[in-house]
């Protein structure tokens, strides 16, 4: 992961570097650092923890160079301490790095033989010394290229060099890197979001590219060392600013605005007049699709699991779902009549991007469902379906999850209509019910107070379970993931019918078990599974849209969600589970927006 920034200017760059690093903290926050050139020498300052610590450090001991690089870290090689924090500098060169250098041990050994003394345990320091070494005998571009040639693995780099004290160098292989054009300065950043407050004129480096920034000019070189021009994009203004407003944290804001983001998304895709879904220029004719493969990681994967149920219900297309980190290494049998759909909020997840690259290499048809439309995954896929959720800052994905499910649902009903696998009136009914969804989400959000009470039961629990069948099963998985990542409580999501095959052994007196039982075709079966849990001492929290006193007997809490079409219930089931994770974590004083050990954008394998 990690976030990098670089600025070439004529005035002090520190304030803008700090401001951008704060935006990049979603990529990593175990340490932070900055390097500038002051009085002809590299001035490096770094610390453990948040950018706030770095800011305090710089307040006491300023660094006022007119060009510089900055970094927020998510540790891969070496513990998150001050020495391992980036930048990594020699007398001559300072480097910030996002990615992993796979052959760093071997390179380190050779450099040590040449007399270079390593301070850190990171893989990045080899880049510093390699470049320092090549600069002794080569000009800038050649020294950079010689260095990059030695590296195996993935990287986005920001570099400053004592000898060239008016330039910042960027390089990309496998990890994203954006370049921004300002009126009197130029920028380098892990994403456009970090640069947005400074400029909306952006371009992206392709794999193998190197860029050289001065305050007035940007030059690009491709992997063959040929100077190239790049298209400059103008970024759109976000409808939802990435500010917390009156909310305590981003997560509570993002949970609360799901009715609005759902409404925006539906408006983008549904043609109200024609009662149809707008979907043009699809990479493959829906009638010709032989199989759909849905791929993602974490929460995005859970949206794929949910979509499998919809596609299977509405179409005759065989559906597969895959976790990107597994897909990318398997011996997949590609077929150009299959459609490979990649789901990702950030659009930068390394495993998802690698899985997409594998499909592209095999000339497969690809489509991505993305929140960040300027992202690498969006730019690499044949067709992009944005979720229109606005910036999601909280590390735990919430509104992006509902957005991903929404676009997948819309896609499933549209494909079934085009393939004539559903009748027209059913299709129109589904569209009409969809239009009611934002209002129902808003109503469901009112369960906040009840959830606050329920959350107290989880405070001293040793773990928790989430059970559901059919479309409620993936939501159980998501509920468990949210609880574990936010509150650090062990939680498992299971298909309710699977309990007796092993997991039932985990049920003990007082274990909180969340049962998702909407009144669908699985209702009675799920309720029987719930009774099996109660009989073994489980403390059941039943979430349903069926108010039934008999069923609720012996249940510790019953939470009622609004009634809707069975197929749309997952959207409403999700809300109380997000709120539950939020309130349990709040009660435990966990860092809601930045849970330990995690980062928002997972750009390493
Ligand atoms: C969990 C969460 C992660 C992400 C996963 C994929 O709350 O946010 O599991 O869903 O890292 O990220 P994207 O969607 O950016 O590819």
């Amino acid at each position: 992961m990690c976030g990098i920034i670089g600025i070439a200017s004529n005035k002090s760059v520190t304030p803008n570097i700090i401001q951008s690093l704060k935006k990049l903290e979603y990529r990593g926050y175990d340490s932070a650092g900055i390097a500038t050139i002051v009085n002809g020498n590299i001035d490096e300052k770094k610390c453990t923890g948040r950018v706030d610590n770095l800011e305090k450090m710089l307040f006491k001991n300023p660094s006022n160079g007119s060009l510089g690089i900055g970094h927020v870290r998510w540790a891969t090689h070496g513990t998150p301490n001050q020495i391992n924090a980036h930048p990594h500098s020699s007398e001559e060169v300072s480097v910030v790095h996002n990615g992993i250098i796979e052959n760093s041990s071997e390179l380190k050994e050779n450099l040590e033989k040449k007399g270079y003394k390593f301070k850190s345990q990171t893989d990045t320091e080899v880049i510093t010394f390699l470049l320092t070494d090549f600069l002794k005998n080569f000009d800038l571009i050649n020294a950079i290229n010689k260095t990059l040639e030695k590296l195996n693995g993935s990287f986005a780099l920001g570099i400053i060099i004592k000898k060239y004290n008016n330039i910042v160098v960027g390089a990309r292989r496998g990890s994203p890197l954006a370049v921004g054009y300002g009126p009197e300065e130029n920028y380098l950043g892990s994403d456009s979001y970090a640069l947005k407050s400074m400029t909306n004129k952006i371009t992206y480096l392709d794999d193998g590219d190197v860029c050289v920034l001065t305050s007035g000019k940007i030059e690009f070189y491709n992997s063959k060392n040929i100077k190239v021009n790049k298209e400059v994009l103008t970024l759109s203004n976000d409808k939802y600013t990435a500010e917390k407003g009156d909310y305590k944290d981003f997560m509570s804001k993002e949970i609360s605005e799901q009715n609005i983001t759902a409404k925006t998304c539906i408006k983008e895709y549904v043609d109200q007049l024609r009662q149809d879904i707008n979907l043009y220029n699809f990479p493959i004719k829906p009638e010709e699709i032989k199989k759909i493969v849905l791929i993602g990681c974490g929460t995005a994967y859970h949206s794929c699991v949910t979509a499998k149920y919809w596609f299977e219900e509405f179409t005759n297309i065989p559906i597969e779902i895959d976790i990107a980190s597994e897909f990318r290494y398997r011996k997949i049998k590609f077929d150009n009549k299959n459609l490979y759909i990649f789901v990702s909020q950030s659009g930068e997840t390394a495993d998802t991007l690698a899985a997409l690259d594998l499909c592209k290499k095999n000339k497969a048809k690809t489509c991505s469902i993305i929140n960040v439309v300027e992202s690498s995954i969006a730019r690499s896929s044949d067709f992009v379906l944005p979720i229109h959720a606005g910036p999601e800052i909280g590390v735990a994905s919430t509104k992006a999850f509902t957005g991903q499910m929404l676009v997948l649902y819309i896609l499933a009903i549209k494909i079934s209509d085009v393939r004539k696998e559903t009748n027209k009136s059913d299709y129109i009914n589904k569209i009409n019910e969809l239009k009611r969804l934002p209002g129902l989400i808003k109503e469901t959000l009112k369960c906040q107070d009840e959830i606050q009470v329920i959350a107290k039961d989880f405070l001293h629990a040793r773990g928790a379970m989430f059970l559901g069948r059919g479309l409620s099963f993936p939501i159980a998985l998501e509920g468990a993931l949210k609880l574990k990542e936010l509150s650090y409580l062990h939680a498992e999501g299971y298909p309710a019918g699977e309990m007796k095959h092993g997991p039932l052994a985990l049920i003990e007196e007082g274990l909180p078990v969340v049962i998702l039982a909407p009144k669908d075709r699985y209702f009675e079966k799920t309720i029987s599974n719930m009774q099996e849990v109660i009989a073994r001492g489980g403390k059941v929290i039943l979430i349903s849209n069926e108010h039934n006193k008999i069923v609720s007997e012996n249940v510790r809490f019953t939470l009622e969600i609004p009634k809707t079409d069975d197929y749309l219930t997952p959207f409403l089931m999700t809300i109380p589970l997000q709120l539950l994770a939020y309130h349990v974590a709040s009660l435990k004083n966990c860092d809601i927006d930045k849970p330990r050990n995690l980062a928002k954008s997972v750009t390493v394998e």
Side-chain angles (χ1 to χ4, degrees):
M1 262 88 66
C2 306
I4 71 178
I5 177 84
I7 305 181
S9 180
N10 293 314
K11 56 176 196 225
S12 170
V13 290
T14 308
N16 276 345
I17 288 187
I18 292 293
Q19 179 194 293
S20 306
L21 288 181
K22 284 186 178 169
K23 295 218 163 105
L24 286 170
E25 266 193 327
Y26 77 91
R27 302 174 74 95
Y29 36 82
D30 57 45
S31 51
I34 180 172
T36 57
I37 297 187
V38 180
N39 300 329
N41 287 315
I42 290 172
D43 183 25
E44 176 198 279
K45 301 221 162 59
K46 49 197 197 181
C47 61
T48 53
R50 302 290 163 86
V51 178
D52 280 349
N53 298 353
L54 182 67
E55 196 173 18
K56 281 181 203 145
M57 190 183 231
L58 287 162
F59 186 71
K60 281 194 199 142
N61 193 0
S63 185
N64 284 325
S66 61
L67 89 166
I69 48 178
H71 190 267
V72 282
R73 181 165 186 247
W74 184 83
T76 57
H77 288 59
T79 50
N81 58 25
Q82 187 181 14
I83 293 174
N84 290 333
H86 297 214
H88 290 283
S89 312
S90 65
E91 279 285 308
E92 304 299 324
V93 167
S94 185
V95 177
V96 286
H97 169 214
N98 169 30
I100 291 183
I101 306 303
E102 284 163 0
N103 57 339
S104 63
S105 321
E106 175 195 323
L107 293 170
K108 187 172 174 182
E109 222 178 283
N110 292 338
L111 285 160
E112 277 172 336
K113 279 186 199 145
K114 285 187 163 188
Y116 289 97
K117 300 252 175 305
F118 283 77
K119 287 175 275 193
S120 77
Q121 301 157 310
T122 66
D123 50 342
T124 306
E125 212 176 350
V126 296
I127 308 173
T128 307
F129 289 134
L130 274 175
L131 184 56
T132 305
D133 204 52
F134 282 124
L135 279 167
K136 288 180 184 159
N137 302 313
F138 296 94
D139 66 11
L140 176 71
I141 294 297
N142 276 314
I144 298 272
N145 280 332
K146 294 257 173 228
T147 303
L148 302 186
E149 271 167 24
K150 292 267 177 204
L151 307 178
N152 292 342
S154 71
F155 53 79
L157 301 175
I159 303 170
I160 56 172
I161 302 154
K162 180 175 163 180
K163 196 157 105 185
Y164 300 93
N165 64 3
N166 65 339
I167 61 161
V168 174
V169 179
R172 173 193 169 151
R173 191 197 294 158
S175 300
L177 198 58
V179 165
Y181 300 76
E184 286 164 10
E185 52 187 26
N186 290 310
Y187 317 98
L188 196 70
S190 289
D191 63 19
S192 60
Y193 170 60
L195 307 182
K196 233 172 178 174
S197 61
M198 303 181 286
T199 181
N200 66 346
K201 299 269 180 270
I202 300 280
T203 197
Y204 293 95
L205 263 64
D206 289 314
D207 270 349
D209 284 353
V210 168
C211 63
V212 180
L213 279 63
T214 63
S215 59
K217 189 167 82 172
I218 306 178
E219 286 176 350
F220 297 95
Y221 298 84
N222 68 12
S223 54
K224 296 190 180 84
N225 204 5
I226 297 169
K227 229 179 189 176
V228 285
N229 291 323
K230 297 239 160 222
E231 188 190 355
V232 181
L233 310 167
T234 304
L235 298 178
S236 56
N237 285 328
D238 289 315
K239 288 191 204 90
Y240 305 100
T241 54
E243 306 299 332
K244 269 195 296 233
D246 291 335
Y247 288 93
K248 226 172 121 199
D249 34 59
F250 280 106
M251 189 181 177
S252 53
K253 173 179 181 265
E254 287 156 8
I255 292 175
S256 306
E257 68 192 14
Q258 288 177 104
N259 57 318
I260 304 167
T261 52
K263 196 170 180 177
T264 310
C265 183
I266 292 166
K267 266 196 182 155
E268 291 286 337
Y269 288 101
V270 175
D271 185 328
Q272 314 275 353
L273 269 181
R274 287 189 304 119
Q275 297 199 303
D276 199 357
I277 287 164
N278 297 321
L279 197 72
Y280 309 107
N281 305 324
F282 211 55
I284 176 168
K285 280 191 178 156
E287 305 87 307
E288 291 174 3
I289 298 174
K290 223 162 103 183
K291 181 166 84 179
I292 292 179
V293 185
L294 300 154
I295 301 151
C297 300
T299 290
Y301 171 72
H302 294 159
S303 74
C304 299
V305 187
T306 320
K308 179 179 164 75
Y309 288 81
W310 288 323
F311 276 103
E312 283 177 350
E313 281 292 322
F314 308 151
T315 76
N316 291 328
I317 308 172
I319 307 294
E320 277 179 22
I321 45 176
D322 233 307
I323 291 177
S325 55
E326 290 297 314
F327 180 92
R328 62 182 289 190
Y329 291 114
R330 290 216 315 277
K331 235 172 129 184
I332 307 287
K333 311 293 174 289
F334 288 97
D335 186 324
N336 66 2
K337 290 276 183 245
N338 292 351
L339 175 65
Y340 297 83
I341 301 179
F342 295 85
V343 184
S344 173
Q345 186 284 131
S346 61
E348 301 295 350
T349 302
D351 285 319
T352 314
L353 188 56
L356 169 62
D357 282 346
L358 182 67
C359 287
K360 297 210 71 173
K361 275 190 197 114
N362 286 279
K363 305 202 172 8
K365 302 279 190 315
T366 60
C367 162
S368 60
I369 293 178
I370 290 290
N371 197 26
V372 183
V373 286
E374 302 96 3
S375 62
S376 306
I377 292 176
R379 283 180 288 119
S380 292
S381 32
D382 297 326
F383 191 71
V384 182
L385 293 169
I387 63 168
H388 301 286
E392 190 181 65
I393 311 294
V395 163
S397 192
T398 51
K399 63 175 179 171
F401 178 59
T402 40
Q404 289 158 355
M405 289 199 295
L406 204 45
V407 173
L408 285 161
Y409 182 80
I410 288 170
L411 189 61
I413 58 176
K414 177 68 182 180
I415 289 181
S416 85
D417 177 57
V418 177
R419 290 167 63 99
K420 301 196 175 26
E421 287 166 348
T422 189
N423 68 50
K424 217 38 167 196
S425 68
D426 258 13
Y427 175 61
I428 291 173
N429 284 344
K430 285 204 170 60
I431 292 177
N432 286 332
E433 194 58 22
L434 199 56
K435 287 195 244 163
R436 287 184 61 226
L437 186 65
L440 296 173
I441 292 179
K442 192 169 176 188
E443 212 181 311
T444 313
L445 282 163
K446 290 183 190 154
C447 67
Q448 182 100 239
D449 291 348
E450 281 167 275
I451 295 284
Q452 257 172 299
V453 176
I454 296 173
K456 289 188 185 142
D457 261 22
F458 288 70
L459 247 189
H460 304 291
R462 291 209 307 178
M465 293 194 95
F466 292 75
L467 309 179
R469 282 173 176 253
L471 275 162
S472 297
F473 158 55
I475 306 306
L477 292 179
E478 176 60 8
L481 176 63
K482 283 290 97 89
L483 187 67
K484 62 185 131 187
E485 71 170 319
L486 284 165
S487 71
Y488 319 142
L489 191 66
H490 184 83
E492 293 287 354
Y494 270 105
E498 187 65 9
M499 287 299 284
K500 55 184 105 40
H501 302 291
L504 204 54
L506 291 172
I507 306 293
E508 56 186 14
E509 201 60 42
L511 183 88
V513 182
V514 181
I515 305 277
L516 310 180
K519 186 84 176 96
D520 56 14
R521 64 176 185 247
Y522 304 95
F523 182 71
E524 280 76 20
K525 292 187 191 307
T526 310
I527 295 302
S528 303
N529 299 138
M530 178 183 88
Q531 298 304 350
E532 289 156 12
V533 167
I534 294 174
R536 284 155 183 87
K539 206 154 62 174
V540 164
I541 297 98
L542 170 65
I543 307 182
S544 181
N545 50 14
E546 169 76 2
H547 189 64
N548 185 327
K549 277 212 172 71
I550 304 165
V551 164
S552 310
E553 234 171 73
N554 299 324
V555 166
R556 173 126 170 113
F557 292 109
T558 306
L559 194 94
E560 213 179 321
I561 57 165
K563 281 200 168 58
T564 177
D565 182 327
D566 286 355
Y567 297 118
L568 295 181
T569 307
F571 293 95
L572 307 186
M573 275 291 176
T574 300
I575 310 278
L577 302 190
Q578 293 171 341
L579 288 168
L580 180 66
Y582 177 88
H583 286 295
V584 176
S586 271
L587 288 172
K588 293 180 87 177
N589 283 324
C590 299
D591 189 337
I592 301 278
D593 283 337
K594 295 189 176 80
R596 71 182 180 203
N597 306 338
L598 300 177
K600 183 70 180 162
S601 186
V602 189
T603 56
V604 291
E605 259 200 84

